[in-house]
Amino acid sequence: MSRVYREDASQVAFPVGGIGTGTYSVGARGQFMDFEWFNRPGKGNRIPYTFFAMYMKEEGREPQARVLEARLSPPYTRSHGYQVGDCAGLPRFETSEFQAEYPFARIRLRDEKVPLEVEMETFNPFIPLDDENSGIPGGVIRYRIANPTDHAAEVAVCGSVTNVAGVSAFERERWESLEWDDCGETQYRDDGEIRGLYCYCTKLSSRHLHFGNHSLTTSDRNVTYKENWLNRGNWDGFRDFWNEFRQHGRLTPKSSYLAVNAGDEREMRTGSLCIEKVLQPGESYTFEFVLSWYYPNRQDNWEYDYCSCGNCESHSIRNYYATRFGSAWDAASFLHRNLAGLEARTRRFTRVLYDSSLPAEVIDSVANNIVTIRSTVCFRIEDGTFLGWEGGFETEGCCEGNCTHVWNYAQTLAFLFPKLEQTMRRVEFLLETDDTGRMAFRTRRVFGKEGWEYHPAADGQMGCVLRLYRDFLLTGDLDYVKELWPKARLALAYGDRYWDSNHDGVLDAKQHNTYDIEFYGENSLTNSVYYAALRAAEEIERRLGNEAEAQRYHELWERGSALMDRMLWDGEYYRQNTEDVNRYLYQYGAGCLSDQVLGQVLAHVNHLGYILPGEHVKSAVASVYKYNFKHSFSEFQCTQRVYALNDETGLVLCTWPKSEEPHLPFIYSDEVWAGVEYQVAAHLIYEGYREEGLEIVRGVRSRYDGYRRNPYCEVECGNHYVRSMASYMLLTALSGFSCDMSENRISFAPRYSEEDFRAFFCTGKAWGVLRQTMGADGVRRQWVEILEGEELKLELEEGKTDE
């Protein structure tokens, strides 16, 4: 069961939207917020006068109307009070309860003066392996209202939305300062199947960067509407609309005023769509809407101000979803028409994910980070290529270009949508790897620009080779491997030529890495990823029939791994080999690095066995927990960015339990990164330290508790930071899941609730449920339920039977 948040959980913001489409978010009160439709982050963006409200009339009583949200919570300190467009002065419900099971969010609203039972639900279809139907620019919004009384009640639900089509600039705090291009119109439409408000541009070309439209629609036939609120100055249109709705529960299409001193005219750009229904005693009804959007064009660059004039059509490139839909109305029509099937498939996924025997904190960690691939941090361009920042600030992305060393950690996309992940490999190897094997760790060539001129990232480049093998295991697509392997082979050879100065099999030259600095000398972070890549290369060459090459990679790995172990093992964990830790800036020397055996956990995920001595690996990861996990930060001293403080728990990136720390250690050493916490937790589980791993996970979830931080937005350098998608490794670790889709084979060996085990799994060919039970005869039985995709072969461990 997922966690329930009350109305005062001010940090909850649950995003709803498709892959590469942008999102809107819903808060714990049921409020709509963070409209991020415009091809860039928009935390704090509120569209004025955009809300839902309910009308109720019982026989013999005065009608009442309320915004379908819980009351606003303190603080109320704003220099100008609440802006009128926030509609803060209208009645709301007393309390709310928010609960989500991704991608569904539900809010129950309660008020002693409202005898009806009111629940809101919003979601967007999400189906593993089906990126098309998981990439629809719209969300379903429902209000289920039940009448438990002994008398009938007239009920109406009304959605209002302001036209922001053609918006050229917006300010998060004061939406009244919006600058429109004076080109938007709102029109009521009814095409026989759906009806509602269509907000569109009239003066911008279809390739303009600010061109777009959005719509609020329903398939319900019991509707009234107001195409545009009263065309008056000040806030007269808002007052006119609200008075009509609260008194009658229905709307007239046009508003008019009779005053002889008419005042200034002002286009409100706001319209409303209302569904009405008489609820008999004991009856319930679902008032269903779809909010959809279509902003097809983004800049052909990572920088948002590349074309500062905002009118340079030659610098626009279409989003992938714009190749499938021609407008927001088109997307809404598709969603309404196919909703029953898409919702059933989505609910099947959600049920399987949450109906698990795994701990709630693990399911939360896996599910809540799925949000990242549907946030504005990630997007798809016209040819379908998937791209991502590292994270997103409030109004712009952070750290461009599919950063290879950060995506090293992320597993969610690869397991749920491996075809999208494959587009990233094609960019890395075919566009960003030159003929020497040097790979740019940030892509610019995908937009036809000059390449990224900086040090190549040793951990990221080696990780790309390993991820190529992971993609093969998940899909069984050998042709894909053959396409990329010539460049991948060059990228791997680059390690020996440029990072291994004496060619002894241990990388020791200047190695740029995920801490945005260079390590000098031998270290186990980059070398462990290198050895995992060599093992992956061995397996790939063997699949290609090149046994001699496979053996060469095997020998390189064996020789280098053994030598590194002798060089860096201190009897408890791996250290950096450097005579003077202060000779170069930002080294760690004898420190205990949380990422010290990153390559090993990635090897486990990809079924490559131990790349370093097993007992040393176990000791090393146990030492990370022993020295780097903090049960309180109240006395901890951090002069870097702070992600955990006071009574919180968390894992710091590095400590120096056996020596003085360097004068200036690497620049993030004191920080707490959720993505690293997840990889260490998963590794602890793989090595048999299950409770220690789960304790780290509980620490992350307790920090992202809806009050301190948003549980659906894990932060590092920006919101929805992609490294946190390392959380998927918790699922593979606890289930002991492995697969090889070239043989349609899967297996699992649970490390949690072994006697009654249930967990979700996904490969590139199918997804479903892994199950294991213990029979009365003492024999463990395993079986797999395929919910979508091809039939798979379950490979059983000794002592288990196949059901």
Side-chain angles (χ1 to χ4, degrees):
M1 181 66 69
S2 58
R3 181 170 180 170
V4 175
Y5 300 93
R6 300 284 300 193
E7 64 278 353
D8 61 343
S10 61
Q11 298 307 300
V12 169
F14 182 90
V16 179
I19 297 173
T21 70
T23 61
Y24 61 83
S25 292
V26 177
R29 296 189 296 104
Q31 77 275 26
F32 289 82
M33 56 197 296
D34 296 350
F35 290 88
E36 299 183 275
W37 301 342
F38 310 104
N39 301 306
R40 63 189 300 172
K43 298 302 181 189
N45 286 348
R46 300 184 301 277
I47 298 180
Y49 307 111
T50 297
F51 66 102
F52 286 81
M54 185 189 79
Y55 164 92
M56 184 191 71
K57 174 70 170 65
E58 301 172 275
E59 186 176 352
R61 299 184 182 181
E62 289 294 314
Q64 57 173 305
R66 274 171 168 67
V67 175
L68 284 160
E69 302 171 7
R71 295 171 181 171
L72 281 77
S73 301
Y76 307 130
T77 51
R78 296 191 178 192
S79 60
H80 289 78
Y82 283 92
Q83 297 300 308
V84 180
D86 294 332
C87 310
L90 299 182
R92 283 165 166 77
F93 286 74
E94 290 176 342
T95 64
S96 65
E97 292 180 345
F98 176 101
Q99 190 173 18
E101 293 183 346
Y102 195 80
F104 297 91
R106 290 179 293 277
I107 299 98
R108 290 174 288 275
L109 297 167
R110 299 289 182 267
D111 194 307
E112 288 185 359
K113 297 180 180 178
V114 179
L116 305 178
E117 297 171 356
V118 181
E119 181 177 288
M120 179 259 214
E121 180 181 65
T122 184
F123 72 97
N124 176 284
F126 183 87
I127 304 145
L129 307 183
D130 187 349
D131 58 273
E132 297 285 297
N133 286 313
S134 301
I136 301 169
V140 178
I141 300 166
R142 291 174 176 151
Y143 292 93
R144 295 190 181 101
I145 301 180
N147 179 11
T149 72
D150 59 1
H151 53 272
E154 299 175 25
V155 180
V157 173
C158 179
S160 298
V161 62
T162 293
N163 185 338
V164 291
V167 67
S168 61
F170 41 80
E171 182 183 308
R172 293 182 296 115
E173 292 301 320
R174 295 190 62 183
W175 272 92
E176 279 74 15
S177 67
L178 271 171
E179 300 173 12
W180 280 288
D181 287 314
D182 191 28
C183 64
E185 290 188 6
T186 300
Q187 178 186 72
Y188 177 77
R189 288 183 173 184
D190 186 336
D191 64 13
E193 293 185 350
I194 64 172
R195 52 211 50 85
L197 302 171
Y198 179 54
C199 306
Y200 62 100
C201 296
T202 60
K203 297 181 180 178
L204 300 180
S205 78
S206 62
R207 294 310 299 263
H208 194 288
L209 287 172
H210 302 138
F211 171 81
N213 46 72
H214 54 95
S215 63
L216 179 66
T217 56
T218 183
S219 59
D220 206 304
R221 296 187 179 277
N222 303 311
V223 302
T224 60
Y225 65 93
K226 190 174 292 294
E227 197 169 53
N228 283 288
W229 288 1
L230 183 65
N231 186 17
R232 280 292 303 269
N234 300 312
W235 309 294
D236 298 348
F238 181 26
R239 192 179 195 94
D240 175 74
F241 152 74
W242 185 251
N243 284 340
E244 183 177 12
F245 177 70
R246 71 181 178 88
Q247 291 169 9
H248 307 293
R250 55 193 351 262
L251 303 172
T252 54
K254 303 290 184 182
S255 293
S256 61
Y257 53 92
L258 302 176
V260 295
N261 57 332
D264 296 331
E265 292 190 356
R266 177 190 180 195
E267 180 64 54
M268 281 297 295
R269 296 178 179 269
T270 303
S272 299
L273 179 66
C274 182
I275 303 174
E276 54 184 339
K277 174 72 175 177
V278 176
L279 292 181
Q280 300 299 325
E283 185 181 10
S284 65
Y285 192 73
T286 298
F287 300 78
E288 183 176 272
F289 302 83
V290 165
L291 180 61
S292 58
W293 56 92
Y294 182 80
Y295 290 86
N297 306 318
R298 62 188 313 117
Q299 289 187 184
D300 62 346
N301 201 292
W302 293 95
E303 289 80 17
Y304 295 115
D305 59 353
Y306 180 74
C307 180
S308 59
C309 69
N311 193 33
C312 299
E313 298 176 19
S314 61
H315 293 301
S316 73
I317 186 172
R318 289 201 302 171
N319 289 310
Y320 177 73
Y321 77 80
T323 68
R324 299 184 58 219
F325 305 109
S327 67
W329 190 272
D330 187 18
S333 179
F334 177 87
L335 188 48
H336 280 289
R337 191 168 58 251
N338 297 281
L339 185 56
L342 294 177
E343 181 176 354
R345 296 171 67 198
T346 301
R347 289 195 184 278
R348 189 182 303 136
F349 159 72
T350 300
R351 173 178 56 81
V352 169
L353 182 61
Y354 285 86
D355 183 25
S356 169
S357 60
L358 298 178
E361 62 268 23
V362 169
I363 300 304
D364 268 358
S365 299
V366 173
N368 292 7
N369 281 299
I370 293 174
V371 168
T372 301
I373 62 178
R374 305 178 100 192
S375 72
T376 51
V377 167
C378 301
F379 57 96
R380 295 181 73 185
I381 57 175
E382 189 166 353
D383 66 1
T385 298
F386 185 94
L387 299 169
W389 301 81
E390 293 182 30
F393 294 140
E394 276 63 25
T395 60
E396 59 185 20
C398 170
C399 305
E400 68 194 61
N402 292 11
C403 180
T404 60
H405 53 68
V406 173
W407 281 89
N408 249 352
Y409 298 75
Q411 306 294 323
T412 304
L413 181 71
F415 275 84
L416 297 182
F417 300 98
K419 288 183 180 178
L420 299 186
E421 183 80 26
Q422 286 177 328
T423 70
M424 301 181 79
R425 296 297 85 72
R426 288 190 167 94
V427 169
E428 291 156 358
F429 289 119
L430 301 184
L431 289 182
E432 296 297 350
T433 301
D434 65 21
D435 291 338
T436 72
R438 181 188 187 278
M439 177 188 293
F441 67 84
R442 301 188 190 278
T443 180
R444 288 182 174 174
R445 290 189 172 93
V446 72
F447 291 118
K449 314 300 180 186
E450 292 294 324
W452 174 266
E453 292 299 329
Y454 199 71
H455 312 298
D459 51 351
Q461 183 161 325
M462 296 299 102
C464 287
V465 176
L466 180 58
R467 295 200 292 278
L468 176 60
Y469 180 62
R470 177 196 62 190
D471 298 348
F472 168 72
L473 290 176
L474 286 170
T475 65
D477 189 348
L478 193 59
D479 288 338
Y480 158 75
V481 175
K482 290 177 179 177
E483 177 190 7
L484 303 188
W485 188 237
K487 279 295 186 73
R489 188 186 283 126
L490 285 175
L492 187 54
Y494 187 93
D496 177 63
R497 291 198 304 273
Y498 291 90
W499 288 313
D500 185 358
S501 65
N502 56 6
H503 306 292
D504 62 355
V506 184
L507 308 185
D508 64 320
K510 180 172 67 174
Q511 303 151 65
H512 190 75
N513 59 68
T514 197
Y515 308 124
D516 297 329
I517 50 87
E518 290 74 50
F519 283 152
Y520 294 84
E522 297 87 353
N523 70 87
S524 60
L525 166 59
T526 55
N527 275 289
S528 66
V529 180
Y530 176 46
Y531 300 140
L534 287 172
R535 277 286 294 117
E538 175 189 348
E539 295 299 326
I540 288 173
E541 292 285 18
R542 190 162 286 123
R543 301 301 179 101
L544 295 175
N546 302 327
E547 187 58 39
E549 280 298 291
Q551 187 59 32
R552 185 176 70 85
Y553 284 125
H554 182 88
E555 292 171 0
L556 280 173
W557 155 63
E558 274 196 331
R559 176 167 57 89
S561 172
L563 180 57
M564 191 215 81
D565 185 71
R566 291 196 297 272
M567 285 181 173
L568 305 185
W569 182 247
D570 78 346
E572 191 175 14
Y573 58 81
Y574 292 103
R575 53 169 291 167
Q576 180 188 17
N577 188 25
T578 175
E579 293 183 5
D580 180 1
V581 73
N582 293 311
R583 181 182 178 189
Y584 297 102
L585 279 174
Y586 308 141
Q587 308 303 293
Y588 69 96
C592 181
L593 186 69
S594 287
D595 274 332
Q596 64 183 272
V597 281
L598 172 63
Q600 181 61 75
V601 71
L602 297 178
H604 284 329
V605 170
N606 294 291
H607 335 311
L608 291 169
Y610 280 97
I611 56 168
L612 293 164
E615 290 306 310
H616 288 183
V617 169
K618 292 178 187 294
S619 176
V621 74
S623 297
V624 170
Y625 171 81
K626 175 182 177 181
Y627 295 123
N628 295 8
F629 185 69
K630 306 298 178 185
H631 295 274
S632 171
F633 283 82
S634 58
E635 300 297 324
F636 187 75
Q637 300 179 53
C638 175
T639 59
Q640 299 161 356
R641 300 171 302 184
V642 175
Y643 301 103
L645 71 168
N646 301 331
D647 63 339
E648 296 177 328
T649 63
L651 187 83
V652 299
L653 292 183
C654 196
T655 60
W656 287 265
K658 301 179 182 181
S659 68
E660 291 287 330
E661 68 177 46
H663 180 62
L664 290 174
F666 69 91
I667 54 179
Y668 305 133
S669 58
D670 296 338
E671 296 184 358
V672 176
W673 292 356
V676 171
E677 290 179 287
Y678 287 136
Q679 76 88 355
V680 170
H683 199 173
L684 283 162
I685 293 167
Y686 273 115
E687 302 300 342
Y689 303 105
R690 185 182 67 189
E691 292 309 310
E692 291 85 348
L694 292 178
E695 186 178 10
I696 293 175
V697 177
R698 286 191 289 270
V700 181
R701 300 322 309 162
S702 68
R703 299 200 307 270
Y704 289 90
D705 65 352
Y707 295 86
R708 308 175 194 220
R709 299 170 185 84
N710 182 6
Y712 308 102
C713 178
E714 296 186 19
V715 173
E716 191 185 306
C717 188
N719 299 302
H720 305 295
Y721 199 79
V722 300
R723 198 190 314 266
S724 291
M725 288 192 287
S727 62
Y728 198 93
M729 287 193 283
L730 299 170
L731 186 55
T732 63
L734 285 167
S735 64
F737 177 76
S738 67
C739 71
D740 184 345
M741 288 299 98
S742 69
E743 301 175 356
N744 275 19
R745 175 185 55 78
I746 65 172
S747 65
F748 66 103
R751 296 182 175 91
Y752 191 84
S753 58
E754 292 93 341
E755 294 184 3
D756 182 18
F757 178 82
R758 303 179 312 282
F760 168 81
F761 81 92
C762 189
T763 76
K765 292 187 178 181
W767 60 272
V769 192
L770 307 171
R771 297 185 187 274
Q772 177 174 290
T773 60
M774 177 73 78
D777 54 4
V779 176
R780 292 179 179 176
R781 291 173 169 82
Q782 289 187 340
W783 71 98
V784 174
E785 181 181 359
I786 305 296
L787 295 179
E788 290 200 13
E790 302 178 17
E791 184 176 342
L792 302 178
K793 179 173 63 177
L794 176 62
E795 185 175 88
L796 297 170
E797 290 185 85
E798 185 177 350
K800 295 185 174 67
T801 62
D802 182 5
E803 294 289 313

